[in-house]
Amino acid sequence: MKTFYKKFSEKFIEGLLLLSSTITTLTVLLIVVFLFKEGLGVFNQKPVEEGFVIALNKQNPVNKLSSAQLKNIFDQNITNWIEVGGKKDSIILFRMEDITNYYSEEQIGEQYENLPQCISKVVDSLPNIIAFFSTKYLDKNFQGKQLDIDKISFKEFFSGKEWFPTAQPSAQLGVLPLILGTLWVSLGAILLALPLGLAAAIYMSEIANENVRKIMKPLIELLAGIPSVVYGFFGLVIIVPLIQKTFDLPVGETGLAGSIVLGIMALPTIITISEDAMRNTPRAMKEASLALGASKWQTIYKVVVPYSISGITAGAILGIGRAIGETMAVLMVTGNAAVIPHTILEPVRTIPATIAAELGEASNGGLHYKALFALGCILFIITLIINLTVEYISNRKKYNNR
Amino acid sequence: MKSKVLIIALSLYTGVSIAQKLKGSDTVLPLAQKEAESYLKVNKANKVTVTGGGSGVGLAALVDGTTDIAMSSRKIKMSEKIKLQDAGKASKEIIVAYDALAVIVNPSNKVAQLTREQLEGIFTGKIKNWKEVGGDDLQIVVYSRESSSGTYEFFKEHVLKNKNYASSVLSMPATGAIVQSISQTKGAIGYVGLAYVEKEIKTVKVSYDKGKTYVAPSMASAKDKSYPVVRPLYYYYLTTMEKSVKPFVDFCLSPEGQKIVEQVGYVPLTK
């Protein structure tokens, strides 16, 4: 009876463990599926907001305009039809509120009941007009030509250089500056943090005496407990003006500021994990090396570091992971201008900062919302690639050592 | 700052009580909180919960029916209106207060006034140096709010006449960060709500009539409507819910409620 009971309880605990790991896996899968489902939805959408039409006069030979052309037309950077393949004639812009320039309020009607006919007449009477208005005011026998707009394409999305998700009439969703910004800042952060972190870890595990270590380790771990907003504010108030003065820049909010703040944030992870790994080097191995006449430094880089390389890479991955996904601190110090950075001393905009700053105000399920989820997918893939690469490298290293 | 759930008041009174949820714009949030606090002092039997998250979040919640009043710092978008219509609902729009936007620069900048056309040039990237508008030979660094913020939309619509900002514009997550950055960057320019104007930054007089008259932003000039860059702040609620939200909305529009508007730093409605 007793053994049965014991067996039963063992089985029960086993079941519980299985259940919790299944739930965790399912949750992760569910989140990934949700992310990709929402994110890929962006390619089913047109850049023009739902419920709006863009119309031309029916005599206009132009049949198609790209999203970028639309933006430039409505920003008055393109002012002649010849630039987009039409006749040589200046472009007249028309938005709904401009109707009062053409018709009096009585003609439009108190409840805007005549607005559809008025818009139709305006578009019909001006051969070089481009009109942007709500489908609600689209007349049944509309005299103009409704412009056909392509859905957002993969190519446009990944190679576009402009990020104006809320631009009207046509949203600009080019994620290239955001991807480059993210990689730029993370690369800078890891270049700063990795040597510094490794040096500190080696010092603490191999060189420092016990008393120094006892003070330093908790202090470094304390760094990990500081909320990222605090880092961000510290960066904005201290690091940003410092960079501005040092490099004599017009503006201090740059990729470098982000890299420094992220580097500091990644330090505790890198130091603690690689230090733990190094301390796990068997005493016998170290003593054998010293007994063979190797100096302390030779022992460190010939024995300790190679032995603990998997731990060090793990620390580095987690450090990079934190750098790439970090939101709040970067949001505050990098300036968030969506331009392709040429040096690290320019403002950049990262993917996590974009998602954090914009998701709250994007209308649920709309184009902007889906574009932000697509950004989340890109971030997910970047992190996945990094993890897989590092895993591959560290596995190969182990194999070589055997 | 966002998505922080702030339950300000949960009255413990039992019996007949009307519960109300407000959700949305972080700009309207401090005002709605203060209004709710004072309202609950008088109407102890009611419950009012105010949460932030952004105008878009509030209006989406209105469609889903998870909030009674959506707070918004921008007008409802066509797509959101269509969604309400699809769900068979209609919303009512109430303006609860106005917010004046001040154009601010670093105190060391000697430019004291700008026309709307100059502002448009600066924010769309056509004017790049302060000497083009009568200042020192210094590159202009433009700060703006995030593209999702209602402030960004309003400024784009009214000052830039619907043109897009330049790509090189730096966008900051919060108004406080704009003030901080402008106070430490010499060539900086940006815009903030009147309530955020501090002595570390300098406000610029603005002209909407091509330079004939320049008006400095202040509570007085916003009240008498001589200052042009003023935007409304909205409540949206479903017409079917009118009965239950009316007492609170009426309180916000009452003289007592409008006094709170001024305390929070916004501009009260004028009759």
Side-chain angles (χ1 to χ4, degrees), chain A residues 123-148:
Chain A
V123 174
D124 195 36
S125 62
L126 296 164
N128 44 356
I129 198 169
I130 179 162
F132 170 63
F133 57 94
S134 161
T135 38
K136 215 166 106 190
Y137 301 118
L138 186 66
D139 196 28
K140 268 176 261 135
N141 345 301
F142 183 64
Q143 292 297 313
K145 174 164 71 176
Q146 283 185 52
L147 203 59
D148 185 26

Side-chain angles (χ1 to χ4, degrees), chain B residues 103-179:
Chain B
V103 175
I104 56 171
V105 293
N106 189 279
S108 69
N109 197 325
K110 59 180 195 198
V111 174
Q113 52 188 37
L114 291 165
T115 65
R116 189 201 66 74
E117 287 75 15
Q118 285 172 330
L119 284 173
E120 183 189 308
I122 290 171
F123 280 86
T124 53
K126 303 220 161 62
I127 299 177
K128 291 193 167 79
N129 197 303
W130 280 110
K131 70 180 177 199
E132 294 170 58
V133 289
D136 297 327
D137 184 5
L138 190 67
Q139 190 191 330
I140 301 181
V141 180
V142 184
Y143 287 89
S144 151
R145 282 296 304 281
E146 281 296 341
S147 61
S148 48
S149 119
T151 323
Y152 171 101
E153 292 273 337
F154 173 80
F155 199 80
K156 181 174 140 187
E157 221 168 90
H158 286 256
V159 182
L160 310 187
K161 295 286 165 220
N162 278 317
K163 295 196 183 67
N164 283 301
Y165 292 82
S167 291
S168 57
V169 164
L170 283 84
S171 52
M172 303 303 275
T175 309
I178 292 192
V179 173

Side-chain angles (χ1 to χ4, degrees), chain A residues 49 52 71 75 95 97 134 162 164 166-167 236 244 250-251 253 331 335-337 349 357-358 360-361 363-364, chain B residues 2 53-57 78-80 83 139 143 146-148 153 162-165 169-171 181 184-185:
Chain A
E49 202 186 334
F52 283 95
K71 176 189 171 255
D75 279 355
R95 284 187 163 92
E97 59 267 25
S134 161
E162 288 198 313
F164 286 108
T166 54
L236 184 59
Q244 192 183 349
V251 54
E253 280 99 341
L331 192 57
N336 302 319
R349 188 180 182 88
E358 295 177 4
E361 302 268 342
S363 70
N364 208 338
Chain B
K2 274 179 187 171
S55 305
V57 171
M78 194 51 85
S79 58
E80 286 159 341
K83 253 185 214 143
Q139 190 191 330
Y143 287 89
E146 281 296 341
S147 61
S148 48
E153 292 273 337
N162 278 317
K163 295 196 183 67
N164 283 301
Y165 292 82
V169 164
L170 283 84
S171 52
S181 292
Q184 63 196 24
T185 308

Side-chain angles (χ1 to χ4, degrees), chain A residues 204-271:
Chain A
M204 286 211 312
S205 78
E206 302 301 319
I207 299 163
N209 67 37
E210 200 54 25
N211 285 337
V212 176
R213 196 182 158 266
K214 263 187 189 154
I215 301 168
M216 273 177 82
K217 187 144 192 193
L219 273 180
I220 287 172
E221 276 164 4
L222 204 65
L223 267 182
I226 299 173
S228 55
V229 173
V230 177
Y231 281 104
F233 199 71
F234 166 77
L236 184 59
V237 178
I238 311 278
I239 296 176
V240 166
L242 197 71
I243 289 178
Q244 192 183 349
K245 267 189 215 117
T246 319
F247 296 97
D248 194 25
L249 299 169
V251 54
E253 280 99 341
T254 53
L256 182 62
S259 294
I260 293 176
V261 171
L262 285 184
I264 298 174
M265 291 179 75
L267 272 182
T269 325
I270 296 177
I271 295 176

